[in-house]
Amino acid sequence: MKRTARAFWLSSPGQGEIREVDLPDPAEGEVVVRALHSGVSRGTETLVFRGGVPESQYAAMRAPFQEGDFPGPVKYGYLSVGVVEEGPEALVGRSVFCLYPHQTRYVVPASAVTVVPDKVPAERAVLAGTVETAVNALWDAAPLVGDRIAVVGGGMVGSSVAALLARFPGVRVELVDADPARARTAEALGVDFAAPEDALGDCDLVVHASATEQGLARSLELLRAEGTVLELSWYGDRKVALPLGEAFHSRRLVVRSSQVGTVSPARRSSRTYADRLALALDLLADPALDALVTGESGFEELPEVMPKLASGDIEALCHRIRY
């Protein structure tokens, strides 16, 4: 009997649809996964949905199991949690995380799935990809005990970074966002909150994740002399103006990029991608991270939900999809 599944495709920028797809029979060393939940990030994935990936970044932006090409038709996504129905005995019946698009069932190599620890609910495990980004960012940033740190931008990535920084001893962490509703997120994560104009300065490190040039400019203002801004925002095809005159040089400020596509140079010799993802899943044992899941819809609703997420009509950090 032919195996089929249903998958969400971006048919053209701003337009999505559910398609029936054929599934291959699993070969030796492969697993069949039945999806339980997937996550939609308001950042990269909605930028893809709007058709905002620059042509120069088409190759770099490909997801591990993407089908089709930018700007579309394309099947895109990378936050899937499911249960293994067929495959190696050690995996059958286990909940797993996979960097797979939104699809009801799929067949992948067993090496492409990571077992979700028993202490982590499958519903929360959709955050693994974002917490993995935060882990890599903090490997890049290398904060020290007692640092004064601001996280500018309380979206999914920024809030994940703030949540991990809250565990560092003696660190002053402030989540900075123009939306006062993010104060509730900060409280749930155990960090302080401030509007941009009220943020505390003299920071050793500012992690910027607002994807706005105003946020990046404010991040520079919050630094002490010789401080560092770690830039996590991805702007797609937008150009960003930055005040590199004024006191930028005299204060010897640093702007450094971070991106999850490669393991941070600080850990590249001792950690693999699999190690990094396993660590992210382990960190998700903290129930405080449930604050990052701010909405849920059924899989069949995705064609109507994605435009609303992309436009901001549905305000979300991580929007969870149930199957």
Side-chain angles (χ1 to χ4, degrees):
M1 181 181 296
K2 184 171 69 173
R3 299 168 183 259
T4 61
R6 292 172 63 75
F8 176 72
W9 277 74
L10 171 64
S11 49
S12 61
Q15 297 289 328
E17 62 184 8
I18 303 292
R19 298 183 181 180
E20 187 171 283
V21 297
D22 292 333
L23 290 184
D25 290 328
E28 185 176 353
E30 291 187 325
V31 292
V32 179
V33 179
R34 173 173 56 85
L36 299 173
H37 308 279
S38 57
V40 181
S41 168
R42 277 284 317 277
T44 303
E45 197 169 346
T46 56
L47 187 145
V48 168
F49 186 77
R50 294 193 299 268
V53 178
E55 188 171 351
S56 65
Q57 295 300 301
Y58 281 1
M61 281 293 296
R62 286 194 69 85
F65 294 100
Q66 173 180 324
E67 293 182 35
D69 297 295
F70 302 120
V74 63
K75 184 174 75 174
Y76 191 85
Y78 46 84
L79 301 173
S80 180
V81 177
V83 61
V84 175
E85 294 187 320
E86 299 178 46
E89 185 178 350
L91 290 175
V92 172
R94 300 297 303 271
S95 293
V96 294
F97 177 85
C98 186
L99 297 168
Y100 205 88
H102 308 283
Q103 186 165 308
T104 55
R105 275 183 173 82
Y106 46 90
V107 178
V108 294
S111 59
V113 302
T114 302
V115 173
V116 176
D118 291 339
K119 59 187 176 182
V120 178
E123 295 91 338
R124 191 184 305 148
V126 297
L127 296 168
T130 307
V131 173
E132 183 184 13
T133 300
V135 167
N136 208 56
L138 294 180
W139 283 349
D140 279 335
L144 299 176
V145 172
D147 272 358
R148 297 179 292 270
I149 304 174
V151 180
V152 177
M156 193 173 171
V157 171
S159 293
S160 296
V161 171
L164 298 191
L165 284 170
R167 306 175 183 208
F168 278 66
V171 167
R172 184 192 81 190
V173 186
E174 191 170 62
L175 185 64
V176 180
D177 199 283
D179 183 357
R182 292 288 180 259
R184 293 193 298 273
T185 304
E187 182 180 10
L189 298 176
V191 299
D192 294 331
F193 175 82
E197 63 273 16
D198 299 323
L200 297 173
D202 199 30
C203 291
D204 302 287
L205 169 68
V206 177
V207 179
H208 179 240
S210 81
T212 66
E213 63 179 50
Q214 295 91 342
L216 183 51
R218 183 60 176 143
S219 296
L220 287 171
E221 293 172 350
L222 294 176
L223 288 176
R224 62 162 174 80
E226 301 185 349
T228 296
V229 170
L230 188 77
E231 176 59 278
L232 292 181
S233 302
W234 198 71
Y235 299 91
D237 56 1
R238 290 181 291 138
K239 297 187 183 301
V240 177
L242 187 61
L244 299 182
E246 302 175 357
F248 179 78
H249 288 285
S250 64
R251 299 180 65 224
R252 300 179 63 83
L253 303 181
V254 175
V255 179
R256 182 180 180 187
S257 65
S258 179
Q259 209 273 341
V260 74
T262 58
V263 175
S264 167
R267 292 292 180 271
R268 196 171 297 160
S269 64
S270 59
R271 302 291 192 280
T272 65
Y273 289 98
D275 292 333
R276 190 178 64 182
L277 182 55
L279 173 59
L281 280 163
D282 192 61
L283 291 169
L284 280 166
D286 186 352
L289 290 163
D290 284 332
L292 304 183
V293 179
T294 52
E296 184 176 276
S297 301
F299 169 72
E300 299 290 341
E301 300 174 78
L302 265 171
E304 292 75 43
V305 167
M306 282 296 294
K308 295 177 181 177
L309 288 168
S311 67
D313 289 344
I314 296 178
E315 295 186 2
L317 294 176
C318 175
H319 193 84
R320 187 168 55 211
I321 305 302
R322 64 178 180 274
Y323 292 76

